[in-house]
Amino acid sequence: METILRVDNIVKSYGSAFKFGPVSLDVHAGEVIALMGPNGAGKTTLIRLITGLLQKDSGKVESQGMSSKKTKKLYIGYMSEAISIWDDLEVKHQLAFMADLYRVQIPDEITDLVHLLGLDKYMNVRGSHLSQGNRRKLSLILSILHDPEILVLDEPFNGLDSISRKNTIQWIRDRVNKQDKPRAVIIASHQLEGLESFFDRLVVLKDGALS
């Protein structure tokens, strides 16, 4: 299988309190990977190292689409555990702003996802007036709007009901299976019960290392 992301012996130290790594991981086109581990295992650290939000001490994160900061921004979609939306903007304006930022038209697939997750009823509602679950749905949609090759999601299911969780992961699975370009998804979550069949591989972290 085509490797679209390679993590090679990355290490990050936080003084004497915690050392992450060395960790190596190849991510292949067409994969949906579940990243699991107890609190403090290093899941968010790995995600932030992959996305470039955290500077590694040593090792490499390599991919053809990540040769510069500009291409990395387009190549990777990232949803943090902390919800990232604008409280003072209506949902429709948030979608339009992100589309302008990435210089893309809002794809039909994103419009379908908005309907699938029930956000179409809140297009004229400001972010601050959305429920916690709808805020997280919007955060997910904003992270994927530009159709990145690699999508990295940190606890995307928090606050979602079981139907929304299954609809979301099914949509992600269908997107990865499309053959128009290579894609892969990494999902860190504590809420994977009943969703195991959607994942190709389980990666477990413990104490900053692969278990």
Side-chain angles (χ1 to χ4, degrees):
M1 292 188 291
E2 177 185 1
T3 299
I4 62 173
L5 177 70
R6 173 159 289 158
V7 177
D8 184 15
N9 286 311
I10 56 173
V11 173
K12 177 65 181 179
S13 296
Y14 296 88
S16 59
F18 180 74
K19 177 185 177 183
F20 177 87
V23 167
S24 296
L25 176 68
D26 283 354
V27 178
H28 304 116
E31 278 195 311
V32 179
I33 296 175
L35 180 61
M36 298 189 69
N39 290 335
K43 299 186 299 298
T44 297
T45 295
L46 176 58
I47 284 174
R48 291 174 64 84
L49 289 168
I50 288 174
T51 57
L53 295 173
L54 187 64
Q55 186 66 38
K56 57 190 176 298
D57 295 337
S58 61
K60 296 179 181 179
V61 178
E62 298 177 317
S63 180
Q64 183 176 356
M66 296 167 58
S67 57
S68 69
K69 289 184 178 180
K70 182 178 180 180
T71 57
K72 181 185 290 188
K73 184 177 179 181
L74 295 173
Y75 194 74
I76 287 188
Y78 169 58
M79 176 185 173
S80 66
E81 182 176 5
I83 295 173
S84 300
I85 65 172
W86 291 273
D87 284 342
D88 56 344
L89 288 181
E90 296 174 357
V91 170
K92 63 183 179 183
H93 292 146
Q94 301 202 37
L95 296 172
F97 177 79
M98 289 300 288
D100 288 344
L101 181 65
Y102 287 109
R103 299 181 180 180
V104 299
Q105 298 292 322
I106 297 177
D108 290 340
E109 287 181 331
I110 292 297
T111 301
D112 292 342
L113 182 59
V114 168
H115 286 276
L116 182 66
L117 297 181
L119 277 183
D120 52 311
K121 300 186 289 291
Y122 303 96
M123 296 299 282
N124 296 317
V125 177
R126 291 186 178 184
S128 59
H129 294 161
L130 294 173
S131 68
Q132 188 75 1
N134 283 331
R135 287 168 63 85
R136 191 163 297 278
K137 292 173 187 177
L138 179 57
S139 185
L140 168 67
I141 291 169
L142 295 177
S143 72
I144 203 173
L145 187 144
H146 61 297
D147 192 20
E149 278 85 347
I150 298 171
L151 182 62
V152 185
L153 308 175
D154 195 355
E155 298 293 349
F157 304 128
N158 285 355
L160 300 189
D161 58 74
S162 59
I163 294 175
S164 294
R165 285 195 296 144
K166 287 186 177 180
N167 285 342
T168 299
I169 192 64
Q170 181 65 68
W171 188 92
I172 289 171
R173 178 78 264 176
D174 292 343
R175 174 183 173 274
V176 168
N177 288 343
K178 289 182 65 177
Q179 299 298 314
D180 56 322
K181 71 176 183 179
R183 297 180 179 89
V185 180
I186 301 171
I187 298 177
S189 178
H190 291 94
Q191 300 178 335
L192 299 179
E193 296 83 1
L195 303 178
E196 294 86 355
S197 63
F198 292 98
F199 294 95
D200 300 293
R201 186 157 41 120
L202 176 64
V203 174
V204 181
L205 283 169
K206 183 178 180 182
D207 298 326
L210 293 180
S211 178

